[in-house]
Amino acid sequence: MKRYHNIIRALVVSLAMLVVAVPAHAVEQPDIHDLWSMGNEAYAAEDYDKAIEMYNAIVDRGYESDMLYYNLGNAYYKRGKSNTNAQGKGFNSGELGRAILYYERALMLNPDMKDARYNLDIAYALTDAPEAVPVGFMTDLWRSMSGAASSNTWTIVSLVMFGVTLALVLVFLLVNSILWRKVSFFVAIATLLLFIFSTAFATTQRTVEQQENRAIIVCNDTAAIHSEPSNKSTVLRTHSQGVAVEVLRNEKEWSEVKFADGEKGWIRTDYIEVI
């Protein structure tokens, strides 16, 4: 009988320890708001290692936002500027590529984020990215016009122009004044054209924003671009971190990529990260 009492007592003690241990373990895990605050405080104190650790901890839990990615990009950029080698070259641990990656991700979520766009342009200027293939004047003009605003902004403009066009059509049908009928007719044609163009711009920009095959080279130093998916194949070119590529296909630990100048080659998949 005493043996049974000892067994029961041991079970009770074990259960009590589990009950106590679970809350204690849970308390040790800071919530998202705490991680965000600690990351911001570390960044303000110029402790970029800790800031990156806190922000990445939020990302690892499955959260994302334009400000989170923007702050991560800034933290990587700031740390990289001071992380120099013996020759004084900065971004010695791949921080430039990571900064560009997170600025791009911030803009994917919020294309109108001007600070992220500004910082991204500064970061890209430090890379050895190849020049883009020249395009025709009309194509370049179309891309520039559609890229002047986000797809959401163009969608709003499109809806407004559609509403104005309908209102002008009603004016044309219901008003007896010849002057107002003429004015509403010609203005309706103009707003209809604006509706068509803004809708086309929204579609074009949406396609650009949702490209899922864009990636950034995030290696620490330089990445070799091979003619075939093998280290023994010919090296076509080398590129430093931060260069954007288009991923065409994957083959085991290799990815075929296309550069802005149109050249294709193979790079190790762990040297790039999809935006």
Side-chain angles (χ1 to χ4, degrees), residues 201-248:
F201 289 157
T203 302
T204 301
Q205 194 60 18
R206 177 70 67 181
T207 301
V208 172
E209 293 170 2
Q210 292 185 341
Q211 283 182 342
E212 297 181 354
N213 58 344
R214 295 176 62 228
I216 301 295
I217 297 178
V218 292
C219 61
N220 289 358
D221 191 8
T222 57
I225 312 302
H226 292 261
S227 59
E228 297 177 4
S230 170
N231 285 323
K232 298 180 180 179
S233 63
T234 304
V235 175
L236 301 175
R237 62 205 291 181
T238 58
H239 276 296
S240 65
Q241 55 181 304
V243 175
V245 296
E246 178 186 353
V247 181
L248 303 178

Side-chain angles (χ1 to χ4, degrees), residues 47-90:
D47 185 355
Y48 302 120
D49 288 337
K50 184 177 180 180
I52 290 171
E53 179 185 354
M54 296 300 103
Y55 294 144
N56 273 323
I58 298 176
V59 174
D60 291 342
R61 294 193 186 184
Y63 290 86
E64 64 175 5
S65 74
D66 53 348
M67 282 304 301
L68 173 59
Y69 289 148
Y70 174 70
N71 283 9
L72 249 177
N74 286 341
Y76 273 114
Y77 186 86
K78 290 284 189 179
R79 188 179 77 175
K81 287 189 68 177
S82 59
N83 184 18
T84 58
N85 58 18
Q87 290 72 39
K89 181 182 177 181

Side-chain angles (χ1 to χ4, degrees), residues 96-187:
L96 182 60
R98 293 287 174 184
I100 289 174
L101 173 68
Y102 285 110
Y103 288 145
E104 288 279 15
R105 287 180 175 175
L107 289 168
M108 287 283 286
L109 297 179
N110 182 6
D112 293 325
M113 196 175 192
K114 295 181 179 179
D115 289 340
R117 176 65 61 188
Y118 178 81
N119 289 359
L120 179 63
D121 290 341
I122 293 176
Y124 266 136
L126 299 176
T127 70
D128 60 356
E131 294 185 6
V133 177
V135 296
F137 172 75
M138 293 305 298
T139 301
D140 186 56
L141 178 63
W142 182 270
R143 291 178 180 176
S144 298
M145 293 178 67
S146 62
S150 67
S151 60
N152 291 335
T153 301
W154 282 123
T155 300
I156 293 172
V157 173
S158 174
L159 292 174
V160 170
M161 289 301 102
F162 182 72
V164 172
T165 301
L166 288 180
L168 290 169
V169 169
L170 289 176
V171 171
F172 177 80
L173 294 174
L174 300 177
V175 174
N176 294 325
S177 171
I178 297 177
L179 175 62
W180 278 106
R181 285 169 62 88
K182 288 183 178 180
V183 170
S184 61
F185 176 78
F186 288 109
V187 176

